[in-house]
Amino acid sequence: MGRAPCCDKANVKKGPWSPEEDATLKSYIEKHGTGGNWIALPQKIGLKRCGKSCRLRWLNYLRPNIKHGGFTEDEDNLICSLYISIGSRWSIIAAQLPGRTDNDIKNYWNTRLKKKLLGKQRREFTQALRNSRQLENSKACETSYSINGCFSLYRQSPQPVALPLLVESSASQENQASNSSLPHMFQPEEKLSYNHDHTQPNNLEQNFGTFHCMSDVSCAQNHEQLCENMTCSSFPNSSCSQLGSDLNTNFPAFGGIPEEIMYSMPQQLDGLDGFSAVDVVNCSSISSSVSENLGDTSSIIYASALTLTNYGVCHQKVAQEWTYLDEARLLGYS
DNA sequence: AAATCTGCCAACCGCCACATT
DNA sequence: AAATGTGGCGGTTGGCAGATT
């Protein structure tokens, strides 16, 4: 047999806490601690509350040194950075922000920070699009590829961005194995680029940092071959087309990425201050399954970062093309 | 002035891993 | 070993307040 039920649900009060309840709970815990048993605590002190509710009230509101509201720019940046790195693991994020609770951070993210970040990324994308267009004009005859899991990371991104590792070296695989609770992060030191003459550095790299993703992409004669050659060392048996599901499986933390971001349709974008994922229109040679899955895995992480031109690779959902074409049109690029 | 919309946030819900019986 | 409780966590809800129509 197990333990007794934690509380009598029928006789438990729900809803907002009164000042009297707060005072009762606070004074008891300050004097006696929780006693290591939240479930028994409300009965001890005469509160008609569930133990879980007492715990939450204490942790999120009554506990000393709790800060509410007034998030600083530094805190914003830290939250964004951690969210990008580990996803919606609020307790871990809260641990990095003294005085903040996971609930507070979660609420803050959902109501404000997400929109703020997306707006920022949209602006950056717009700028990147302009820059890439200029490059395109100046290098019209040169074909080259920059690949970062099929995407390039725009170097002007204000902060280093940690990305889930899709493909990694054997050394980094060991690292990942030693810390299986966290997704391995991209490090921006490795590059993959492709040029027709295989020797000349890609001028794009002056403006685009590239993170390596596809281990076997070293050379290809055309888009089709390039895509066929794409395999992922962290998922040795995977092709690009499997990447999306692999990501979902292996990096559940990223499952929290808002649907409106992952599957954004124009009308859905209206409500967001700024999402504009990146697409590339002139890459139709890549199979739709590849592009869809990669599109799915791209997220706010990539949103501003992924800048693709007709040098580049990959595109996302066909449905999104309208958005990007439309955006390009608005920017005077059509 | 009333109705409706929107943003915010405290609190609840349900799940999971682990502990206990 | 199986059943059940507990603590912890992230997702979601519902109510409130202010803004807008």
Side-chain angles (χ1 to χ4, degrees):
Chain A
M1 284 294 291
R3 297 177 176 177
C6 72
C7 59
D8 180 1
K9 302 263 183 203
N11 291 318
V12 160
K13 184 183 171 190
K14 291 184 180 180
W17 281 62
S18 68
E20 292 76 23
E21 287 176 312
D22 280 347
T24 302
L25 181 62
K26 192 175 183 199
S27 69
Y28 181 87
I29 293 177
E30 282 175 349
K31 284 179 191 168
H32 305 99
T34 64
N37 188 344
W38 284 107
I39 302 302
L41 192 142
Q43 273 195 326
K44 273 189 200 169
I45 61 179
L47 282 178
K48 290 190 171 182
R49 291 279 181 175
C50 174
K52 276 190 170 189
S53 180
C54 293
R55 176 182 164 271
L56 270 181
R57 186 64 181 169
W58 171 256
L59 291 177
N60 290 337
Y61 195 79
L62 299 174
R63 177 163 62 108
N65 303 319
I66 292 284
K67 286 189 274 183
H68 290 287
F71 281 83
T72 66
E73 194 68 28
D74 284 347
E75 287 176 316
D76 286 3
N77 290 337
L78 185 54
I79 293 167
C80 288
S81 172
L82 288 168
Y83 185 91
I84 286 166
S85 296
I86 63 175
S88 59
R89 298 163 84 164
W90 304 117
S91 59
I92 295 173
I93 293 173
Q96 306 304 314
L97 294 159
R100 301 294 186 187
T101 69
D102 53 358
N103 206 40
D104 250 10
I105 293 170
K106 180 171 55 181
N107 283 333
Y108 184 54
W109 169 264
N110 284 331
T111 57
R112 300 188 209 180
L113 215 44
K114 183 165 65 180
K115 295 169 192 168
K116 181 180 172 182
L117 180 64
L118 294 176
K120 191 177 179 182
Q121 298 207 326
R122 183 186 182 89
R123 287 191 293 276
E124 289 171 10
F125 162 67
T126 302
Q127 186 58 46
L129 192 62
R130 286 199 183 96
N131 287 359
S132 64
R133 183 69 182 194
Q134 287 169 0
L135 269 171
E136 183 184 335
N137 289 339
S138 64
K139 301 284 293 179
C141 297
E142 184 178 337
T143 303
S144 56
Y145 305 92
S146 290
I147 299 168
N148 161 26
C150 287
F151 303 113
S152 299
L153 186 64
Y154 185 52
R155 185 164 277 167
Q156 289 178 5
S157 185
Q159 294 195 344
V161 182
L163 302 172
L165 188 60
L166 306 185
V167 170
E168 55 194 14
S169 65
S170 56
S172 60
Q173 280 176 327
E174 288 170 16
N175 291 340
Q176 189 178 30
S178 69
N179 187 7
S180 59
S181 65
L182 294 174
H184 198 92
M185 303 307 160
F186 263 125
Q187 296 299 322
E189 71 270 16
E190 295 194 65
K191 293 182 176 181
L192 252 187
S193 64
Y194 169 73
N195 255 300
H196 272 169
D197 67 6
H198 304 167
T199 58
Q200 297 301 310
N202 178 0
N203 286 354
L204 274 177
E205 289 176 16
Q206 293 171 9
N207 289 297
F208 297 93
T210 55
F211 293 151
H212 103 297
C213 171
M214 303 305 178
S215 62
D216 294 340
V217 182
S218 55
C219 174
Q221 294 303 313
N222 52 45
H223 287 95
E224 287 84 355
Q225 187 177 343
L226 181 69
C227 191
E228 285 168 9
N229 285 345
M230 288 176 178
T231 58
C232 307
S233 61
S234 63
F235 311 110
N237 299 321
S238 301
S239 65
C240 276
S241 61
Q242 293 173 285
L243 207 54
S245 57
D246 284 334
L247 235 202
N248 290 334
T249 303
N250 290 285
F251 301 106
F254 287 83
I257 289 166
E259 196 172 353
E260 73 268 25
I261 296 170
M262 297 183 70
Y263 302 103
S264 59
M265 294 293 287
Q267 61 271 29
Q268 290 175 291
L269 295 173
D270 291 342
L272 292 170
D273 181 26
F275 170 66
S276 179
V278 181
D279 196 0
V280 156
V281 184
N282 292 331
C283 293
S284 57
S285 55
I286 294 202
S287 73
S288 60
S289 63
V290 170
S291 61
E292 282 191 17
N293 281 316
L294 287 168
D296 291 349
T297 62
S298 70
S299 66
I300 55 170
I301 297 161
Y302 302 103
S304 72
L306 314 182
T307 301
L308 297 168
T309 70
N310 63 351
Y311 299 108
V313 201
C314 294
H315 59 115
Q316 294 178 290
K317 289 179 175 294
V318 172
Q320 289 182 326
E321 289 186 359
W322 184 91
T323 309
Y324 311 132
L325 285 167
D326 192 58
E327 175 136 15
R329 209 172 290 128
L330 287 172
L331 293 168
Y333 292 143
S334 59

